[in-house]
Amino acid sequence: MLQSIPTPSSAQHPVFQGASQAELFEYVHDDTLLSLSFVVNIALAGATILAIVYLGRSLTDPRAKLIAVSVMLISIVSISSYTGLASGLTLSVIEMPSTHPAAGQTTAGEDGVLIMWGRYLTWTFSTPFILIALGMIAGSNWTKILTSVAFTIAMCITGLAAALTTSTLYMRWWWFVLSSTFFLVIVYIILVEWSAEAEVTGSASIFNTLKILTVVGWFGYPILWALGVEGFAILDVAYTSWGYSILDVITKYVVTMLIMFYVTNEPSAIVGGTDWGTSTPGISPADD
């Protein structure tokens, strides 16, 4: 017996709809507000990298240098990721479940909404470096620092899963709950564990400022997710993107500059000494 071949209307839709990079590029840059949310961050990330190079040129302590390198990598990841967004490389159109508030919308001539999945790449690769810098300033040990890094990667990956899940609405929100749970573990480490350690090491003054900017800013991301097109679709794509971009400015570039102004003085709270980071005690690393 001959079997009928599924027609396009009865076939399953792929997660990513058929908009090309060129179409997505045109869609983004036809919307000035959306375009600027990417371009401004490219410029700020580049300026921050140059500022770090300038401020860090006189650093001598290896531990201070490692903190400077960590915060530089935040902006290196960001400028790469925002370039991907601005070029359309890390953007896609996905069709939401039928019960989603944005179901039935069209983007760049395709059924679905614009998903900026490249932002999750930014967060996955940049937030670990934020936590490494914060943990070192607090004087924490590498077990706690790497634990926070592991949880932030898990948070970002499950957040990406929440954004890309199209099977059912409740599965999208389940991924969101998982991501938020991992996020709360990180918040506990920063506010409780590292705050106590910063008091002991003498870096509490700067660390308290950094933790407030970081934690308050990071709470904004799940709130924006819920309000934006990925969640309840109260905010459109451009406003959602600008919300994320403003939070990135605060939690990445502002935090980075505060850290750099702090470490350039090489205070005793973060100085590791010439033996720090060497594989054999008593052997100093070669001068740069």
Side-chain angles (χ1 to χ4, degrees), residues 100-101 143 153 157 227 255 282:
H100 191 278
T143 299
I153 293 172
I157 291 174
L227 295 177
V255 165

Side-chain angles (χ1 to χ4, degrees), residues 39-56:
V39 174
V40 167
N41 265 269
I42 292 172
L44 288 175
T48 303
I49 292 169
L50 294 176
I52 294 169
V53 172
Y54 177 77
L55 292 171

Side-chain angles (χ1 to χ4, degrees), residues 36 45-46 52 58 68 78 86-87 100 130 159 183 189 203 211 223 226 235 281:
L36 285 175
I52 294 169
S58 59
S78 293
S87 67
H100 191 278
I130 298 173
F183 168 61
I189 292 173
S203 59
K211 78 178 182 184
I223 293 172
L235 301 175

Side-chain angles (χ1 to χ4, degrees), residues 37-38 41 44 48 74-75 78 81-82 85 118-120 122-123 126-127 130 217-218 221 224 241-256:
S37 71
F38 300 150
N41 265 269
L44 288 175
T48 303
I74 297 167
S75 291
S78 293
S81 177
Y82 272 103
L85 291 167
R119 288 192 177 277
Y120 295 89
T122 308
W123 301 329
S126 65
T127 51
I130 298 173
W218 282 6
Y221 290 99
L224 268 174
S241 184
W242 258 112
Y244 285 139
S245 292
I246 291 170
L247 291 175
D248 278 354
V249 169
I250 296 169
T251 61
K252 292 182 173 62
Y253 315 132
V254 173
V255 165
T256 288

Side-chain angles (χ1 to χ4, degrees), residues 183 186-187 190-191 210-220 251:
F183 168 61
I186 302 165
V187 170
I190 295 173
L191 295 184
L210 295 173
K211 78 178 182 184
I212 291 171
L213 287 172
T214 301
V215 172
V216 172
W218 282 6
F219 265 104
T251 61

Side-chain angles (χ1 to χ4, degrees), residues 93-152:
V93 177
I94 70 168
E95 191 170 354
M96 292 295 185
S98 59
T99 52
H100 191 278
Q105 289 189 13
T106 59
T107 302
E110 300 290 338
D111 293 334
V113 300
L114 186 71
I115 296 297
M116 299 171 283
W117 57 269
R119 288 192 177 277
Y120 295 89
L121 294 181
T122 308
W123 301 329
T124 301
F125 292 105
S126 65
T127 51
F129 295 117
I130 298 173
L131 290 168
I132 289 171
L134 290 179
M136 292 183 68
I137 290 172
S140 188
N141 60 64
W142 280 102
T143 299
K144 290 181 184 177
I145 291 173
L146 294 179
T147 297
S148 72
V149 167
F151 272 95
T152 197

